[in-house]
Amino acid sequence: MNGENRRLRDMLNQVKNNYNTLQMHMMTMMHQQQQNQERDGKSEEVKHQHHNNQNGHGGGGQVVPRQFMDLGLAASEAEETSQSSSEGRSGREKSRSPANNTEAGSTGGIIREDSPEKESPGWGPNKIPRLGNTSTNKPADQATEATMRKARVSVRARSEAPMITDGCQWRKYGQKMAKGNPCPRAYYRCTMAAGCPVRKQVQRCAEDRTILITTYEGTHNHPLPPAAMGMASTTSSAARMLLSGSMPSADGLMNPNFFARTLLPCSSSMATISASAPFPTVTLDLTQSPNPLQFPRPPNPFQVPFSNPTHNNILANPAALLPQIFGQALYNQSKFSGLQSSQDLEGQQHPSTMSSSINPSN
DNA sequence: CGTGTTTGACCTGCGC
DNA sequence: GCGCAGGTCAAACACG
Ligand SMILES: [Zn+2]
């Protein structure tokens, strides 16, 4: 009975999470659309990229409205995901089932895998520089990949399962005890294709163990099953948005405001951009109850994110704080863009090259 | 027997 | 240079 209850609750959570994810996804898309409209010049590449990701199976168009179609698609798929996850879990609740999933939807025109076997035999005896390689190889791809790899998308969701099911397959390759945290952090790598660079780490929140923090990093270089598209496209577009926002351009400023306007009314999910961490990180907070009306909890014990630089800014409660928070985000962004400017510039220098490489099939 | 998890060793970057 | 902390590797192991 307990088990069943737990299962049901978990299913519910999963559905909620999917819903929030979707919402996020929509926002990101809208944002990108907006961005595209405002300056179609360079952001066009982004658009193409996006399309590529979305229509991995379909093929890419470039009409703006298309994006909504994609969205719809993603929505239905998200549902599937939740269902499948519940099914999968019905058997065992806490044992780690190998099925998981994930994110990244980009088919990866961008990232060309260097060599599929680079990780196995290549550096077996290693100690060799994984970084050293990077310097020697082609700078352009490298820069792109490096930038992409740096970006992280972390998702906070309530889940009692050891890992949220996102449609991808993961192999665990490590586990560590986090410092100020009784719960260990687990490291996973995507196994859907050899050489897929995507990694994720899963950690439970110390105080509230019902909250699972999943951090995605990298972009898939292979097609994804429909079930994985939801999370994948969301995270990848979030990452892209982060990166584009971090660039030394004015429209980066649009992000926060856009977030504020769009998310606030819904208030069920929240995104925060933080560059204070070693890597730029987007945090999608899906932990809030979907209907805030029932659980107002206004005098929330949440800490003001920007007052505590230690952890990434995670927004728990919108309203009054937003301006400041976003202000800080902006500040961080600008800082970040300063730091990253060399790389970004390098990336930006050859937009045509980029777009062509992105869309090789077309 | 292939595939995935466990787990301690190992590597690297960073602050002192 | 040392120690710490975050990540990763890979041998051993578990499982179907
Ligand atoms: Zn992958």
Side-chain angles (χ1 to χ4, degrees):
Chain A
M1 196 199 229
N2 271 343
E4 192 156 351
N5 276 341
R6 224 165 18 163
R7 229 160 41 220
L8 289 177
R9 219 180 327 157
D10 196 58
M11 277 174 54
L12 217 191
N13 287 334
Q14 213 116 39
V15 174
K16 270 195 289 190
N17 293 341
N18 280 329
Y19 170 78
N20 288 330
T21 299
L22 244 182
Q23 203 172 327
M24 246 320 286
H25 187 188
M26 181 149 86
M27 284 210 14
T28 354
M29 281 175 143
M30 286 172 68
H31 166 263
Q32 267 173 1
Q33 191 180 358
Q34 184 184 18
Q35 221 178 15
N36 289 341
Q37 285 177 352
E38 286 182 4
R39 31 162 55 218
D40 19 36
K42 80 161 191 198
S43 56
E44 201 159 3
E45 345 161 3
V46 176
K47 198 201 308 187
H48 284 180
Q49 195 174 330
H50 195 80
H51 273 280
N52 222 8
N53 298 342
Q54 297 298 314
N55 313 332
H57 26 68
Q62 60 179 11
V63 196
V64 173
R66 253 302 190 74
Q67 290 183 349
F68 290 105
M69 279 181 55
D70 292 340
L71 216 202
L73 229 179
S76 58
E77 282 156 2
E79 269 179 274
E80 283 180 23
T81 301
S82 59
Q83 284 178 1
S84 67
S85 68
S86 59
E87 273 182 18
R89 183 149 306 116
S90 59
R92 49 272 270 345
E93 36 189 0
K94 82 155 199 215
S95 66
R96 35 206 110 207
S97 57
N100 335 342
N101 353 284
T102 320
E103 60 161 326
S106 33
T107 54
I110 338 171
I111 324 184
R112 101 210 138 66
E113 44 190 299
D114 313 59
S115 49
E117 51 267 45
K118 79 175 165 194
E119 38 179 86
S120 41
W123 355 324
N126 80 4
K127 285 162 187 190
I128 307 187
R130 6 190 126 154
L131 294 181
N133 285 344
T134 64
S135 60
T136 41
N137 288 345
K138 29 215 108 185
D141 284 355
Q142 277 283 344
T144 307
E145 185 172 333
T147 310
M148 271 316 252
R149 190 184 286 175
K150 266 186 208 161
R152 289 186 172 186
V153 179
S154 87
V155 178
R156 302 174 90 247
R158 290 187 188 281
S159 170
E160 305 195 7
M163 183 159 60
I164 63 176
T165 57
D166 47 16
C168 255
Q169 282 210 302
W170 303 93
R171 181 181 67 245
K172 189 175 188 174
Y173 69 89
Q175 171 164 328
K176 272 289 215 188
M177 293 300 283
K179 196 167 72 170
N181 194 335
C183 312
R185 170 186 300 169
Y187 300 88
Y188 296 87
R189 168 176 305 174
C190 175
T191 59
M192 298 206 69
C196 181
V198 174
R199 291 181 166 74
K200 85 170 178 182
Q201 27 185 280
V202 176
Q203 183 164 29
R204 210 161 268 287
C205 189
E207 301 80 24
D208 190 350
R209 307 222 174 167
T210 65
I211 294 181
L212 203 60
I213 303 175
T214 306
T215 304
Y216 296 99
E217 177 179 344
T219 307
H220 290 281
N221 60 1
H222 54 87
L224 289 167
M229 288 301 288
M231 186 66 86
S233 54
T234 299
T235 54
S236 65
S237 55
R240 215 174 301 119
M241 190 176 68
L242 203 191
L243 293 177
S244 70
S246 68
M247 292 195 177
S249 61
D251 51 339
L253 303 182
M254 292 301 295
N255 292 346
N257 290 331
F258 185 79
F259 271 137
R261 287 206 320 266
T262 312
L263 272 191
L264 272 188
C266 317
S267 85
S268 60
S269 77
M270 187 56 76
T272 308
I273 298 177
S274 164
S276 56
F279 335 84
T281 304
V282 180
T283 301
L284 308 180
D285 195 337
L286 310 181
T287 60
Q288 296 177 75
S289 156
N291 48 358
L293 299 180
Q294 272 188 2
F295 308 95
R297 58 182 166 168
N300 219 350
F302 78 113
Q303 326 66 341
V304 185
F306 52 83
S307 68
N308 190 352
T310 313
H311 26 83
N312 285 351
N313 329 342
I314 290 163
L315 282 197
N317 199 349
L321 296 170
L322 276 177
Q324 295 136 14
I325 289 169
F326 283 136
Q328 197 212 9
L330 281 183
Y331 171 68
N332 285 338
Q333 274 189 9
S334 57
K335 234 165 55 175
F336 170 64
S337 65
L339 294 174
Q340 292 280 307
S341 61
S342 59
Q343 276 188 1
D344 289 346
L345 287 178
E346 195 172 357
Q348 277 183 328
Q349 269 181 349
H350 314 287
S352 56
T353 308
M354 253 182 89
S355 56
S356 63
S357 69
I358 285 170
N359 251 343
S361 55
N362 298 340

